[in-house]
Amino acid sequence: TVIIQLNAEKAPSTVANFLEYVQREHYDQTIFHYVQEGLMILGGGYTEDGTARSMRAEITSEAHNELSNRRGTIAMARDQDYEHSATCQFFFNLSDNMKFDHTGRDTPQDYGYCVFGEVVQGMDVLDQIAAVAVHDTDQFTSTPRTPVVIETIRQVSRR
């Protein structure tokens, strides 16, 4: 179990988008399809057999929200060449990845990746996932040899 606290104050559209996918049970039985120990774990878009889940429209990036891609944060994945292309995929930062932070609006690389929450419980689970054996396939690079399946993602109320 991994519990994250979303930051709707700093990333309202991103959190709303993520929760819409959660409410539709989009993430159930999807996989972490990219794992790079010491960097990130990426998932939320594909089933165990590699089938892409349907996506909603792309959202406008809120990477300029002053939240940093530090260890234990969750951020939206996007096309590296277009800053406003995030849909359903997300990643957990396994280290302080300031190179993914917003530094300007001149290029998509400067724009960075939008952090929208942080892990409050279960970082040890993410570290275990990060240590799995990976390989490259025709479809994915650095993908777990044995699929790491997200059983469910549910919204819980604050305690």
Side-chain angles (χ1 to χ4, degrees), residues 10-138:
K10 294 274 191 172
S13 296
T14 307
V15 167
N17 177 69
F18 182 77
L19 289 175
E20 180 67 29
Y21 281 109
V22 169
Q23 291 164 359
R24 293 178 182 208
E25 299 181 2
H26 169 92
Y27 295 119
D28 295 5
Q29 302 304 306
T30 59
I31 59 169
F32 286 112
H33 64 276
Y34 178 84
V35 174
Q36 186 172 348
E37 190 171 15
L39 185 69
M40 72 166 66
I41 299 170
L42 171 66
Y46 299 92
T47 61
E48 190 172 342
D49 67 2
T51 302
R53 286 275 171 98
S54 62
M55 299 175 289
R56 296 168 11 98
E58 297 172 337
I59 60 172
T60 301
S61 178
E62 296 173 311
H64 58 280
N65 65 14
E66 300 177 356
L67 296 176
S68 182
N69 282 276
R70 59 184 169 70
R71 177 174 164 77
T73 57
I74 184 172
M76 290 305 293
R78 63 168 176 81
D79 182 320
Q80 67 181 353
D81 295 324
Y82 179 53
E83 63 271 28
H84 304 298
S85 60
T87 56
C88 60
Q89 293 184 45
F90 60 88
F91 62 92
F92 288 103
N93 285 292
L94 299 174
S95 62
D96 292 341
N97 291 318
M98 280 49 170
K99 64 185 174 186
F100 296 151
D101 286 352
H102 174 79
T103 58
R105 296 177 188 248
D106 295 334
T107 69
Q109 293 73 28
D110 291 341
Y111 212 90
Y113 294 81
C114 180
V115 172
F116 64 99
E118 66 182 324
V119 175
V120 295
Q121 182 182 321
M123 198 63 208
D124 58 323
V125 173
L126 297 176
D127 288 335
Q128 289 174 30
I129 294 169
V132 302
V134 297
H135 66 144
D136 294 344
T137 67
D138 291 341

